[in-house]
Amino acid sequence: TILPTGDVVNKAGTRGLALAASAADVPVYVVTARDKVSKDDTFHPEEGPATAIYNGDSDITVANPCFDLTPGDLIEGVLTEDGLLDQRGIELVAAQHRSNTDWIEATSTASH
């Protein structure tokens, strides 16, 4: 998911990879479908089972995030079927998605 802020929600480890690439001066691009641009900037973290990480007898707390949030300033651009989106392009797509959602909600309410 690409948030309107340009931040990227992807599998755990993406943030670390983007940080390493930044330190090595290597640009990072995201390739995704346009419909993966979110209409809002909410990150919904998901956790996998703790036993997938640790299944021992010691009483320890284990985190098993499925996804992480990669800051948009670590991403050079987002490539979709419409071409390369910069921050402004991401914001425009998010605004279109919000507008479509508002229209669907308005027409669905009007028909009841």
Short mmCIF file of all heavy atoms in Angstrom, two decimals, residues 31-97:
data_model
loop_
_atom_site.label_atom_id
_atom_site.label_comp_id
_atom_site.label_asym_id
_atom_site.label_seq_id
_atom_site.Cartn_x
_atom_site.Cartn_y
_atom_site.Cartn_z
N VAL A 31 7.22 -0.73 -7.26
CA VAL A 31 6.41 -1.09 -8.42
C VAL A 31 5.11 -1.68 -7.90
O VAL A 31 5.12 -2.66 -7.14
CB VAL A 31 7.14 -2.11 -9.33
CG1 VAL A 31 6.27 -2.49 -10.52
CG2 VAL A 31 8.48 -1.55 -9.78
N THR A 32 3.99 -1.07 -8.28
CA THR A 32 2.70 -1.50 -7.76
C THR A 32 1.59 -1.05 -8.69
O THR A 32 1.81 -0.23 -9.58
CB THR A 32 2.48 -0.94 -6.34
OG1 THR A 32 1.32 -1.55 -5.76
CG2 THR A 32 2.31 0.56 -6.34
N ALA A 33 0.42 -1.57 -8.48
CA ALA A 33 -0.75 -1.13 -9.24
C ALA A 33 -1.26 0.17 -8.64
O ALA A 33 -1.15 0.42 -7.44
CB ALA A 33 -1.84 -2.20 -9.20
N ARG A 34 -1.85 0.99 -9.48
CA ARG A 34 -2.38 2.29 -9.07
C ARG A 34 -3.42 2.14 -7.95
O ARG A 34 -3.53 3.00 -7.08
CB ARG A 34 -2.98 2.96 -10.31
CG ARG A 34 -3.66 4.26 -10.08
CD ARG A 34 -4.31 4.70 -11.39
NE ARG A 34 -5.32 5.68 -11.15
CZ ARG A 34 -5.13 6.99 -11.23
NH1 ARG A 34 -3.94 7.45 -11.55
NH2 ARG A 34 -6.10 7.82 -11.00
N ASP A 35 -4.18 1.05 -7.97
CA ASP A 35 -5.21 0.88 -6.94
C ASP A 35 -4.63 0.57 -5.56
O ASP A 35 -5.36 0.51 -4.57
CB ASP A 35 -6.24 -0.18 -7.35
CG ASP A 35 -5.69 -1.59 -7.43
OD1 ASP A 35 -4.46 -1.79 -7.31
OD2 ASP A 35 -6.50 -2.52 -7.63
N LYS A 36 -3.32 0.40 -5.46
CA LYS A 36 -2.66 0.20 -4.17
C LYS A 36 -2.35 1.52 -3.47
O LYS A 36 -1.85 1.54 -2.36
CB LYS A 36 -1.38 -0.61 -4.33
CG LYS A 36 -1.63 -2.05 -4.69
CD LYS A 36 -2.32 -2.75 -3.55
CE LYS A 36 -2.37 -4.24 -3.78
NZ LYS A 36 -2.87 -4.94 -2.61
N VAL A 37 -2.63 2.65 -4.13
CA VAL A 37 -2.49 3.96 -3.48
C VAL A 37 -3.72 4.13 -2.59
O VAL A 37 -4.86 4.07 -3.07
CB VAL A 37 -2.37 5.10 -4.50
CG1 VAL A 37 -2.32 6.45 -3.77
CG2 VAL A 37 -1.13 4.92 -5.37
N SER A 38 -3.50 4.34 -1.31
CA SER A 38 -4.58 4.45 -0.34
C SER A 38 -5.21 5.83 -0.35
O SER A 38 -4.53 6.83 -0.61
CB SER A 38 -4.03 4.14 1.06
OG SER A 38 -5.05 4.25 2.02
N LYS A 39 -6.48 5.88 -0.02
CA LYS A 39 -7.17 7.18 0.07
C LYS A 39 -6.89 7.89 1.39
O LYS A 39 -7.13 9.07 1.52
CB LYS A 39 -8.67 7.00 -0.13
CG LYS A 39 -9.36 6.16 0.92
CD LYS A 39 -10.83 5.98 0.57
CE LYS A 39 -11.54 5.02 1.44
NZ LYS A 39 -11.71 5.36 2.81
N ASP A 40 -6.36 7.16 2.37
CA ASP A 40 -6.03 7.80 3.65
C ASP A 40 -4.66 7.32 4.12
O ASP A 40 -4.08 6.41 3.55
CB ASP A 40 -7.10 7.56 4.71
CG ASP A 40 -7.26 6.09 5.08
OD1 ASP A 40 -6.25 5.43 5.40
OD2 ASP A 40 -8.40 5.59 5.06
N ASP A 41 -4.14 7.97 5.16
CA ASP A 41 -2.77 7.69 5.60
C ASP A 41 -2.70 6.78 6.83
O ASP A 41 -1.75 6.81 7.58
CB ASP A 41 -2.00 8.98 5.84
CG ASP A 41 -2.61 9.84 6.93
OD1 ASP A 41 -3.68 9.48 7.45
OD2 ASP A 41 -2.01 10.87 7.26
N THR A 42 -3.70 5.93 6.99
CA THR A 42 -3.74 5.04 8.14
C THR A 42 -2.94 3.76 7.85
O THR A 42 -3.13 3.12 6.83
CB THR A 42 -5.19 4.66 8.47
OG1 THR A 42 -5.95 5.85 8.63
CG2 THR A 42 -5.25 3.85 9.74
N PHE A 43 -2.05 3.43 8.78
CA PHE A 43 -1.28 2.19 8.71
C PHE A 43 -1.92 1.20 9.67
O PHE A 43 -2.04 1.47 10.86
CB PHE A 43 0.18 2.45 9.07
CG PHE A 43 1.03 1.22 9.26
CD1 PHE A 43 0.98 0.17 8.35
CD2 PHE A 43 1.88 1.11 10.34
CE1 PHE A 43 1.77 -0.96 8.51
CE2 PHE A 43 2.68 -0.02 10.51
CZ PHE A 43 2.62 -1.05 9.60
N HIS A 44 -2.35 0.07 9.14
CA HIS A 44 -2.99 -0.97 9.95
C HIS A 44 -1.99 -2.12 10.12
O HIS A 44 -1.93 -3.01 9.27
CB HIS A 44 -4.26 -1.48 9.28
CG HIS A 44 -5.26 -0.41 8.98
ND1 HIS A 44 -6.08 0.13 9.93
CD2 HIS A 44 -5.56 0.24 7.83
CE1 HIS A 44 -6.85 1.05 9.39
NE2 HIS A 44 -6.55 1.14 8.11
N PRO A 45 -1.20 -2.10 11.20
CA PRO A 45 -0.21 -3.17 11.38
C PRO A 45 -0.88 -4.53 11.59
O PRO A 45 -1.97 -4.60 12.17
CB PRO A 45 0.58 -2.74 12.61
CG PRO A 45 -0.23 -1.72 13.29
CD PRO A 45 -1.20 -1.15 12.29
N GLU A 46 -0.24 -5.54 11.09
CA GLU A 46 -0.71 -6.92 11.30
C GLU A 46 0.42 -7.71 11.93
O GLU A 46 1.58 -7.55 11.56
CB GLU A 46 -1.09 -7.57 9.97
CG GLU A 46 -2.30 -6.97 9.31
CD GLU A 46 -2.63 -7.66 7.99
OE1 GLU A 46 -2.39 -8.88 7.87
OE2 GLU A 46 -3.10 -6.97 7.08
N GLU A 47 0.08 -8.55 12.87
CA GLU A 47 1.06 -9.39 13.55
C GLU A 47 0.84 -10.85 13.18
O GLU A 47 -0.29 -11.32 13.11
CB GLU A 47 0.93 -9.24 15.07
CG GLU A 47 1.36 -7.90 15.61
CD GLU A 47 2.86 -7.76 15.71
OE1 GLU A 47 3.57 -8.76 15.95
OE2 GLU A 47 3.35 -6.63 15.56
N GLY A 48 1.93 -11.54 12.95
CA GLY A 48 1.88 -12.99 12.78
C GLY A 48 1.94 -13.64 14.14
O GLY A 48 2.16 -12.97 15.16
N PRO A 49 1.77 -14.95 14.21
CA PRO A 49 1.81 -15.63 15.51
C PRO A 49 3.21 -15.55 16.13
O PRO A 49 4.22 -15.73 15.45
CB PRO A 49 1.45 -17.08 15.17
CG PRO A 49 1.68 -17.23 13.71
CD PRO A 49 1.55 -15.87 13.09
N ALA A 50 3.25 -15.25 17.42
CA ALA A 50 4.52 -15.16 18.13
C ALA A 50 5.27 -16.49 18.10
O ALA A 50 6.50 -16.53 18.06
CB ALA A 50 4.28 -14.72 19.57
N THR A 51 4.54 -17.59 18.07
CA THR A 51 5.17 -18.91 18.06
C THR A 51 5.95 -19.18 16.77
O THR A 51 6.78 -20.07 16.74
CB THR A 51 4.13 -20.02 18.28
OG1 THR A 51 3.10 -19.89 17.30
CG2 THR A 51 3.53 -19.95 19.67
N ALA A 52 5.69 -18.41 15.73
CA ALA A 52 6.46 -18.56 14.49
C ALA A 52 7.88 -18.04 14.68
O ALA A 52 8.79 -18.43 13.95
CB ALA A 52 5.78 -17.81 13.35
N ILE A 53 8.09 -17.18 15.69
CA ILE A 53 9.40 -16.62 15.98
C ILE A 53 10.07 -17.36 17.14
O ILE A 53 11.23 -17.70 17.10
CB ILE A 53 9.29 -15.12 16.34
CG1 ILE A 53 8.63 -14.34 15.20
CG2 ILE A 53 10.64 -14.54 16.70
CD1 ILE A 53 9.40 -14.32 13.92
N TYR A 54 9.28 -17.59 18.20
CA TYR A 54 9.83 -18.24 19.40
C TYR A 54 8.79 -19.17 19.99
O TYR A 54 7.66 -18.77 20.26
CB TYR A 54 10.25 -17.19 20.43
CG TYR A 54 10.80 -17.80 21.70
CD1 TYR A 54 12.07 -18.37 21.72
CD2 TYR A 54 10.03 -17.83 22.86
CE1 TYR A 54 12.57 -18.95 22.88
CE2 TYR A 54 10.53 -18.40 24.02
CZ TYR A 54 11.79 -18.96 24.02
OH TYR A 54 12.29 -19.55 25.16
N ASN A 55 9.18 -20.40 20.21
CA ASN A 55 8.28 -21.40 20.76
C ASN A 55 8.90 -22.07 21.98
O ASN A 55 8.68 -23.24 22.23
CB ASN A 55 7.94 -22.43 19.68
CG ASN A 55 6.71 -23.24 20.02
OD1 ASN A 55 5.99 -22.92 20.95
ND2 ASN A 55 6.48 -24.29 19.26
N GLY A 56 9.69 -21.29 22.74
CA GLY A 56 10.39 -21.85 23.89
C GLY A 56 9.63 -21.72 25.18
O GLY A 56 8.49 -21.27 25.21
N ASP A 57 10.29 -22.11 26.27
CA ASP A 57 9.67 -22.10 27.59
C ASP A 57 9.86 -20.80 28.37
O ASP A 57 9.15 -20.54 29.32
CB ASP A 57 10.22 -23.27 28.43
CG ASP A 57 9.85 -24.62 27.84
OD1 ASP A 57 8.76 -24.71 27.22
OD2 ASP A 57 10.64 -25.57 28.00
N SER A 58 10.84 -19.98 27.97
CA SER A 58 11.09 -18.72 28.68
C SER A 58 9.96 -17.75 28.46
O SER A 58 9.36 -17.70 27.38
CB SER A 58 12.40 -18.09 28.21
OG SER A 58 13.49 -18.92 28.52
N ASP A 59 9.67 -16.97 29.50
CA ASP A 59 8.59 -15.99 29.42
C ASP A 59 9.14 -14.70 28.80
O ASP A 59 9.64 -13.82 29.52
CB ASP A 59 8.03 -15.73 30.82
CG ASP A 59 6.80 -14.84 30.77
OD1 ASP A 59 6.15 -14.77 29.72
OD2 ASP A 59 6.51 -14.20 31.81
N ILE A 60 9.10 -14.61 27.48
CA ILE A 60 9.59 -13.42 26.78
C ILE A 60 8.50 -12.90 25.85
O ILE A 60 7.60 -13.64 25.44
CB ILE A 60 10.87 -13.70 25.97
CG1 ILE A 60 10.62 -14.75 24.89
CG2 ILE A 60 12.00 -14.14 26.88
CD1 ILE A 60 11.78 -14.93 23.93
N THR A 61 8.58 -11.62 25.56
CA THR A 61 7.64 -11.01 24.63
C THR A 61 8.25 -11.05 23.23
O THR A 61 9.42 -10.69 23.05
CB THR A 61 7.36 -9.54 25.04
OG1 THR A 61 6.85 -9.54 26.37
CG2 THR A 61 6.38 -8.90 24.10
N VAL A 62 7.45 -11.47 22.28
CA VAL A 62 7.93 -11.61 20.90
C VAL A 62 7.02 -10.82 19.98
O VAL A 62 5.79 -10.86 20.12
CB VAL A 62 7.92 -13.10 20.48
CG1 VAL A 62 8.30 -13.25 19.04
CG2 VAL A 62 8.83 -13.91 21.38
N ALA A 63 7.60 -10.09 19.07
CA ALA A 63 6.83 -9.38 18.05
C ALA A 63 7.10 -10.04 16.70
O ALA A 63 8.23 -10.40 16.39
CB ALA A 63 7.24 -7.91 18.00
N ASN A 64 6.06 -10.22 15.93
CA ASN A 64 6.17 -10.82 14.61
C ASN A 64 5.37 -10.00 13.60
O ASN A 64 4.31 -10.42 13.13
CB ASN A 64 5.69 -12.28 14.65
CG ASN A 64 5.87 -12.98 13.32
OD1 ASN A 64 6.52 -12.48 12.42
ND2 ASN A 64 5.26 -14.15 13.19
N PRO A 65 5.86 -8.79 13.29
CA PRO A 65 5.10 -7.95 12.35
C PRO A 65 5.11 -8.55 10.94
O PRO A 65 6.14 -9.05 10.47
CB PRO A 65 5.85 -6.63 12.40
CG PRO A 65 7.24 -6.99 12.79
CD PRO A 65 7.11 -8.18 13.70
N CYS A 66 3.96 -8.51 10.29
CA CYS A 66 3.88 -8.97 8.91
C CYS A 66 4.30 -7.87 7.95
O CYS A 66 4.85 -8.14 6.88
CB CYS A 66 2.45 -9.40 8.59
SG CYS A 66 1.87 -10.81 9.54
N PHE A 67 4.01 -6.63 8.32
CA PHE A 67 4.28 -5.48 7.47
C PHE A 67 5.02 -4.41 8.25
O PHE A 67 4.90 -4.33 9.46
CB PHE A 67 2.96 -4.88 6.93
CG PHE A 67 2.17 -5.85 6.11
CD1 PHE A 67 1.16 -6.60 6.67
CD2 PHE A 67 2.45 -6.03 4.76
CE1 PHE A 67 0.44 -7.51 5.92
CE2 PHE A 67 1.74 -6.93 4.00
CZ PHE A 67 0.72 -7.67 4.58
N ASP A 68 5.78 -3.57 7.53
CA ASP A 68 6.38 -2.41 8.16
C ASP A 68 6.08 -1.17 7.33
O ASP A 68 5.53 -1.25 6.23
CB ASP A 68 7.88 -2.58 8.44
CG ASP A 68 8.76 -2.76 7.21
OD1 ASP A 68 8.34 -2.37 6.09
OD2 ASP A 68 9.87 -3.25 7.35
N LEU A 69 6.38 -0.03 7.91
CA LEU A 69 6.12 1.25 7.27
C LEU A 69 7.45 1.86 6.86
O LEU A 69 8.31 2.12 7.71
CB LEU A 69 5.39 2.18 8.25
CG LEU A 69 4.96 3.53 7.72
CD1 LEU A 69 3.86 3.37 6.67
CD2 LEU A 69 4.44 4.40 8.85
N THR A 70 7.63 2.06 5.57
CA THR A 70 8.85 2.64 5.04
C THR A 70 8.59 4.11 4.72
O THR A 70 7.68 4.41 3.94
CB THR A 70 9.31 1.90 3.77
OG1 THR A 70 9.49 0.52 4.10
CG2 THR A 70 10.59 2.47 3.22
N PRO A 71 9.35 5.03 5.33
CA PRO A 71 9.12 6.45 5.07
C PRO A 71 9.29 6.80 3.59
O PRO A 71 10.20 6.31 2.92
CB PRO A 71 10.20 7.15 5.91
CG PRO A 71 10.60 6.14 6.94
CD PRO A 71 10.42 4.80 6.28
N GLY A 72 8.40 7.65 3.11
CA GLY A 72 8.42 8.06 1.71
C GLY A 72 9.70 8.74 1.29
O GLY A 72 10.07 8.70 0.11
N ASP A 73 10.41 9.36 2.25
CA ASP A 73 11.66 10.05 1.86
C ASP A 73 12.77 9.06 1.51
O ASP A 73 13.81 9.45 0.99
CB ASP A 73 12.10 11.05 2.91
CG ASP A 73 12.40 10.44 4.27
OD1 ASP A 73 12.15 9.24 4.46
OD2 ASP A 73 12.90 11.18 5.13
N LEU A 74 12.54 7.76 1.77
CA LEU A 74 13.50 6.74 1.36
C LEU A 74 13.17 6.16 -0.02
O LEU A 74 13.92 5.35 -0.55
CB LEU A 74 13.54 5.59 2.38
CG LEU A 74 14.03 5.96 3.78
CD1 LEU A 74 13.88 4.76 4.71
CD2 LEU A 74 15.47 6.44 3.74
N ILE A 75 12.04 6.57 -0.59
CA ILE A 75 11.56 6.05 -1.86
C ILE A 75 11.75 7.10 -2.95
O ILE A 75 11.29 8.23 -2.83
CB ILE A 75 10.05 5.67 -1.77
CG1 ILE A 75 9.79 4.74 -0.59
CG2 ILE A 75 9.55 5.09 -3.08
CD1 ILE A 75 10.49 3.42 -0.65
N GLU A 76 12.43 6.72 -4.01
CA GLU A 76 12.69 7.64 -5.13
C GLU A 76 11.44 7.89 -5.96
O GLU A 76 11.21 8.99 -6.43
CB GLU A 76 13.80 7.07 -6.01
CG GLU A 76 14.27 7.99 -7.10
CD GLU A 76 15.04 9.19 -6.57
OE1 GLU A 76 15.64 9.12 -5.49
OE2 GLU A 76 15.02 10.24 -7.26
N GLY A 77 10.64 6.86 -6.15
CA GLY A 77 9.42 7.00 -6.95
C GLY A 77 8.60 5.74 -6.89
O GLY A 77 9.06 4.69 -6.45
N VAL A 78 7.35 5.86 -7.35
CA VAL A 78 6.41 4.75 -7.38
C VAL A 78 6.00 4.53 -8.83
O VAL A 78 5.46 5.44 -9.47
CB VAL A 78 5.17 5.04 -6.50
CG1 VAL A 78 4.14 3.94 -6.63
CG2 VAL A 78 5.59 5.23 -5.04
N LEU A 79 6.27 3.35 -9.34
CA LEU A 79 5.96 3.03 -10.72
C LEU A 79 4.65 2.24 -10.79
O LEU A 79 4.54 1.18 -10.17
CB LEU A 79 7.10 2.22 -11.34
CG LEU A 79 6.99 1.91 -12.82
CD1 LEU A 79 6.98 3.20 -13.65
CD2 LEU A 79 8.12 1.01 -13.26
N THR A 80 3.67 2.79 -11.52
CA THR A 80 2.39 2.11 -11.71
C THR A 80 2.14 1.94 -13.20
O THR A 80 2.96 2.36 -14.03
CB THR A 80 1.23 2.94 -11.11
OG1 THR A 80 0.98 4.08 -11.93
CG2 THR A 80 1.51 3.37 -9.68
N GLU A 81 0.98 1.37 -13.53
CA GLU A 81 0.62 1.21 -14.93
C GLU A 81 0.46 2.55 -15.64
O GLU A 81 0.46 2.62 -16.87
CB GLU A 81 -0.66 0.35 -15.08
CG GLU A 81 -1.91 0.93 -14.46
CD GLU A 81 -2.09 0.63 -12.97
OE1 GLU A 81 -1.11 0.29 -12.28
OE2 GLU A 81 -3.22 0.75 -12.51
N ASP A 82 0.35 3.63 -14.86
CA ASP A 82 0.24 4.99 -15.44
C ASP A 82 1.60 5.68 -15.54
O ASP A 82 1.66 6.83 -15.93
CB ASP A 82 -0.69 5.85 -14.58
CG ASP A 82 -2.12 5.37 -14.64
OD1 ASP A 82 -2.50 4.73 -15.64
OD2 ASP A 82 -2.88 5.63 -13.68
N GLY A 83 2.66 5.00 -15.14
CA GLY A 83 3.99 5.60 -15.19
C GLY A 83 4.52 5.88 -13.80
O GLY A 83 3.99 5.41 -12.79
N LEU A 84 5.57 6.67 -13.76
CA LEU A 84 6.26 6.98 -12.50
C LEU A 84 5.54 8.11 -11.77
O LEU A 84 5.31 9.18 -12.34
CB LEU A 84 7.71 7.38 -12.80
CG LEU A 84 8.62 7.56 -11.60
CD1 LEU A 84 8.77 6.24 -10.83
CD2 LEU A 84 9.99 8.05 -12.06
N LEU A 85 5.18 7.85 -10.51
CA LEU A 85 4.52 8.86 -9.68
C LEU A 85 5.52 9.44 -8.69
O LEU A 85 6.21 8.71 -8.00
CB LEU A 85 3.36 8.25 -8.89
CG LEU A 85 2.24 7.59 -9.67
CD1 LEU A 85 1.22 7.00 -8.70
CD2 LEU A 85 1.57 8.58 -10.60
N ASP A 86 5.57 10.77 -8.63
CA ASP A 86 6.32 11.43 -7.57
C ASP A 86 5.34 11.72 -6.44
O ASP A 86 4.18 11.27 -6.47
CB ASP A 86 6.99 12.70 -8.09
CG ASP A 86 6.01 13.73 -8.64
OD1 ASP A 86 4.76 13.54 -8.53
OD2 ASP A 86 6.47 14.73 -9.21
N GLN A 87 5.75 12.44 -5.43
CA GLN A 87 4.89 12.72 -4.28
C GLN A 87 3.59 13.39 -4.71
O GLN A 87 2.51 13.01 -4.27
CB GLN A 87 5.62 13.59 -3.25
CG GLN A 87 4.78 13.93 -2.03
CD GLN A 87 4.25 12.71 -1.30
OE1 GLN A 87 4.98 11.78 -1.03
NE2 GLN A 87 2.97 12.71 -0.97
N ARG A 88 3.66 14.35 -5.60
CA ARG A 88 2.45 15.05 -6.06
C ARG A 88 1.52 14.07 -6.80
O ARG A 88 0.31 14.10 -6.62
CB ARG A 88 2.83 16.22 -6.96
CG ARG A 88 1.67 17.01 -7.48
CD ARG A 88 0.98 17.78 -6.36
NE ARG A 88 -0.18 18.46 -6.89
CZ ARG A 88 -1.35 18.49 -6.30
NH1 ARG A 88 -1.52 17.93 -5.12
NH2 ARG A 88 -2.36 19.11 -6.84
N GLY A 89 2.09 13.20 -7.60
CA GLY A 89 1.30 12.20 -8.32
C GLY A 89 0.59 11.25 -7.37
O GLY A 89 -0.58 10.89 -7.58
N ILE A 90 1.28 10.85 -6.32
CA ILE A 90 0.68 9.97 -5.30
C ILE A 90 -0.49 10.69 -4.63
O ILE A 90 -1.57 10.11 -4.45
CB ILE A 90 1.73 9.54 -4.26
CG1 ILE A 90 2.78 8.64 -4.90
CG2 ILE A 90 1.07 8.85 -3.06
CD1 ILE A 90 4.01 8.41 -4.05
N GLU A 91 -0.29 11.95 -4.28
CA GLU A 91 -1.36 12.73 -3.64
C GLU A 91 -2.58 12.85 -4.56
O GLU A 91 -3.72 12.76 -4.09
CB GLU A 91 -0.84 14.12 -3.28
CG GLU A 91 0.17 14.11 -2.16
CD GLU A 91 0.88 15.45 -1.99
OE1 GLU A 91 0.59 16.41 -2.74
OE2 GLU A 91 1.76 15.54 -1.11
N LEU A 92 -2.36 13.04 -5.86
CA LEU A 92 -3.47 13.15 -6.81
C LEU A 92 -4.25 11.85 -6.93
O LEU A 92 -5.48 11.86 -6.96
CB LEU A 92 -2.95 13.59 -8.18
CG LEU A 92 -2.47 15.03 -8.28
CD1 LEU A 92 -1.81 15.30 -9.63
CD2 LEU A 92 -3.64 16.00 -8.06
N VAL A 93 -3.55 10.73 -7.00
CA VAL A 93 -4.23 9.43 -7.07
C VAL A 93 -5.03 9.19 -5.79
O VAL A 93 -6.18 8.75 -5.84
CB VAL A 93 -3.22 8.29 -7.32
CG1 VAL A 93 -3.90 6.92 -7.21
CG2 VAL A 93 -2.58 8.44 -8.70
N ALA A 94 -4.45 9.49 -4.64
CA ALA A 94 -5.16 9.32 -3.36
C ALA A 94 -6.42 10.18 -3.34
O ALA A 94 -7.48 9.73 -2.89
CB ALA A 94 -4.24 9.67 -2.19
N ALA A 95 -6.33 11.41 -3.84
CA ALA A 95 -7.49 12.31 -3.87
C ALA A 95 -8.57 11.74 -4.80
O ALA A 95 -9.77 11.82 -4.49
CB ALA A 95 -7.06 13.70 -4.33
N GLN A 96 -8.17 11.16 -5.92
CA GLN A 96 -9.14 10.54 -6.83
C GLN A 96 -9.84 9.37 -6.14
O GLN A 96 -11.05 9.20 -6.27
CB GLN A 96 -8.46 10.06 -8.10
CG GLN A 96 -8.02 11.20 -9.00
CD GLN A 96 -7.14 10.72 -10.16
OE1 GLN A 96 -6.54 9.64 -10.10
NE2 GLN A 96 -7.07 11.53 -11.20
N HIS A 97 -9.08 8.56 -5.41
CA HIS A 97 -9.67 7.43 -4.69
C HIS A 97 -10.66 7.92 -3.62
O HIS A 97 -11.73 7.33 -3.44
CB HIS A 97 -8.60 6.54 -4.07
CG HIS A 97 -7.80 5.77 -5.06
ND1 HIS A 97 -8.30 5.24 -6.21
CD2 HIS A 97 -6.49 5.43 -5.07
CE1 HIS A 97 -7.37 4.60 -6.88
NE2 HIS A 97 -6.24 4.71 -6.21
#
